[in-house]
Amino acid sequence: MKVLVTGGAGFIGSNFIFYMREKHPDYELVCLDKLTYAGNLETLEAVMDEPGFQFVRADIADREAVYTVFEAEKPDIVVNFAAESHVDRSIENPSVFLETNVMGTQVLLDACRKYGIQRYHQVSTDEVYGDLPLDRPDLFFTEETPLHTSSPYSASKASADLLCHAYYRTYELPVTISRCSNNYGPYQFPEKLIPLMIANALADKPLPVYGEGLNVRDWLYVEDHCAAIDLILEKGQVGRVYNVGGHNEMRNIDIVRRILSILGKPESLIDHVTDRKGHDMRYAIDPSRIHGELGWLPETRFDDGIQKTVGWYLEHCAWWKNIINGDYQDYYERMYSGR
Ligand code: NAD
Ligand code: DAU
């Protein structure tokens, strides 16, 4: 079996590559990644020269480059992680989100049609459902919840999902889609909440909490997401959407306090800053389908996962310090100074 993993030099894609090498050592893996600011070859160092693994630098929106890879590699399965993934960046500049997340997905779908594959899996997000109110804890996103996006990022991801469905319905392309909640774990780019707060706390810098920090996210350890995708590839029904989440809703402010407490840093570092535009209030996944049909359940409890994650960032300072030098400083300045 040969699996093409697009976006495999990013956070979840790299964790998926490590997961699949462990779980299916006989599979060949080809990672296709553009290496944007979020892609990092250092992450893949351990597998780079291993047999059964190959890396190709390419843009999923570059039709010629993608067709060349399909022609040469003839993958059986494609798992598409490649995306612009940060909501704040999409608010600043939506164009590249449409280019990669929508047009890039279309190029991959066309390549799958042209060269033939056993499965195309689209890694989507719970953000396509919009948000839920804080005063209705009884409500959850199911696969039937209407798409109702808030940010340019989520609009681009929802567009890609619709394209995937259209290619299934019109051309009978064997497509599956997973919509997962917020992931955390090793190798997450430090622009995202958890690694950003760990990095700032370690440097005794202010921790920028948007608004009052009452927004709720449903946190899942990244390895549990990887296991869910693997299961969908093995047993999932073609044409189907699977929501992935572990009923682990937490307010941002409580996450930030937990990180401070693990690191033994004072809560006086918390800095309430101007809220994100169009900020979604609450995400909460109903994972009944993937549990009932495929038997998936998350394995990592948040208490263990967050300890492991903070420990990982402490042990791998060089990995994230390399990233937060350079261009990231300009981004941080633009995003947070005077906020
Ligand atoms: P990430 O930003 O860490 O990584 C994205 C990767 O895609 C990077 O390696 C980047 O270089 C690559 N990439 C970007 N544009 C590309 C292009 N045009 N061609 C080829 N490669 C390109 O993202 P992540 O957090 O690992 O998210 C991966 C996927 O999972 C995304 O599709 C995202 O929407 C989805 N998702 C993320 C979360 C989360 O909590 N992080 C939750 C649910 C779904
Ligand atoms: O739900 C899945 C989504 O989760 C994925 O589709 C996205 O790719 C991923 O980035 C994530 O989106 P969020 O916007 O929820 O994640 P982020 O880490 O950016 O923010 C989490 C919450 O923390 C959100 O309510 C905004 C808040 N926040 C974030 C940052 C970066 C802060 O309060 N301060 C910050 O500095």
Side-chain angles (χ1 to χ4, degrees), residues 10-12 33-34 36 39 59-60 81 85 100 124 153 157 183:
F11 165 46
I12 310 175
D33 198 295
K34 184 181 177 182
T36 66
D59 181 342
I60 57 164
F81 293 93
S85 68
T100 288
S124 186
Y153 163 70
K157 292 295 290 185
N183 285 211

Side-chain angles (χ1 to χ4, degrees), residues 124-130 146-149 154-155 157-159 161 179:
S124 186
T125 168
D126 60 359
E127 295 201 17
V128 298
Y129 299 121
L147 304 189
H148 187 73
T149 57
S154 56
K157 292 295 290 185
S159 307
D161 285 12
R179 295 185 180 142

Side-chain angles (χ1 to χ4, degrees), residues 133-155:
L134 288 182
D135 61 356
R136 290 293 308 274
D138 56 313
L139 295 180
F140 295 91
F141 297 137
T142 73
E143 289 80 358
E144 271 68 51
T145 302
L147 304 189
H148 187 73
T149 57
S150 309
S151 69
Y153 163 70
S154 56

Side-chain angles (χ1 to χ4, degrees), residues 85-88 125-127 153 180-182 191-193 196-197 208-210 215 217 219 252 276 279 283 336:
S85 68
H86 193 36
V87 173
D88 293 322
T125 168
D126 60 359
E127 295 201 17
Y153 163 70
C180 189
S181 59
N182 286 61
E191 67 191 348
K192 306 282 166 50
L193 180 78
L196 185 145
M197 296 300 165
V209 171
Y210 298 164
N215 306 64
R217 298 291 183 266
W219 293 93
N252 294 340
R276 174 184 276 174
H279 199 173
Y283 302 148
Y336 293 100

Side-chain angles (χ1 to χ4, degrees), residues 110-315:
D110 281 342
C112 289
R113 276 190 71 207
K114 184 169 160 75
Y115 294 97
I117 36 96
Q118 289 178 26
R119 179 72 67 82
Y120 173 88
H121 183 75
Q122 176 73 0
V123 182
S124 186
T125 168
D126 60 359
E127 295 201 17
V128 298
Y129 299 121
D131 64 352
L132 297 164
L134 288 182
D135 61 356
R136 290 293 308 274
D138 56 313
L139 295 180
F140 295 91
F141 297 137
T142 73
E143 289 80 358
E144 271 68 51
T145 302
L147 304 189
H148 187 73
T149 57
S150 309
S151 69
Y153 163 70
S154 56
S156 70
K157 292 295 290 185
S159 307
D161 285 12
L162 293 175
L163 271 177
C164 291
H165 186 259
Y167 275 61
Y168 161 68
R169 177 79 191 249
T170 309
Y171 307 115
E172 296 179 355
L173 197 73
V175 168
T176 42
I177 299 174
S178 52
R179 295 185 180 142
C180 189
S181 59
N182 286 61
N183 285 211
Y184 68 102
Y187 298 110
Q188 187 166 30
F189 193 87
E191 67 191 348
K192 306 282 166 50
L193 180 78
I194 289 182
L196 185 145
M197 296 300 165
I198 297 172
N200 282 20
L202 285 172
D204 296 311
K205 277 173 60 176
L207 272 52
V209 171
Y210 298 164
E212 291 180 67
L214 302 180
N215 306 64
V216 169
R217 298 291 183 266
D218 182 356
W219 293 93
L220 186 73
Y221 193 63
V222 62
E223 215 170 271
D224 283 321
H225 185 186
C226 297
I229 295 171
D230 182 32
L231 208 54
I232 295 168
L233 293 176
E234 280 187 354
K235 299 196 209 154
Q237 198 180 309
V238 162
R240 217 143 162 75
V241 172
Y242 292 91
N243 282 354
V244 184
H247 281 305
N248 182 50
E249 290 177 52
M250 293 184 70
R251 301 186 310 175
N252 294 340
I253 190 70
D254 297 326
I255 297 265
V256 172
R257 287 192 182 125
R258 179 76 68 89
I259 291 168
L260 287 170
S261 139
I262 295 172
L263 290 172
K265 299 284 183 177
E267 289 194 7
S268 55
L269 284 175
I270 294 174
D271 182 19
H272 289 276
V273 301
T274 308
D275 212 346
R276 174 184 276 174
K277 288 190 172 75
H279 199 173
D280 281 337
M281 276 323 293
R282 169 175 170 250
Y283 302 148
I285 285 275
D286 173 355
S288 310
R289 174 177 288 175
I290 190 165
H291 176 56
E293 287 183 15
L294 309 184
W296 177 87
L297 275 178
E299 286 188 359
T300 303
R301 290 170 53 247
F302 186 77
D303 284 350
D304 301 329
I306 193 70
Q307 286 282 353
K308 266 202 280 191
T309 302
V310 173
W312 188 89
Y313 279 88
L314 280 169
E315 279 164 28

Side-chain angles (χ1 to χ4, degrees), residues 68-85:
T68 303
V69 172
F70 272 72
E71 179 94 48
E73 301 300 336
K74 306 203 167 37
D76 302 297
I77 293 175
V78 176
V79 185
N80 180 26
F81 293 93
E84 288 293 333
S85 68

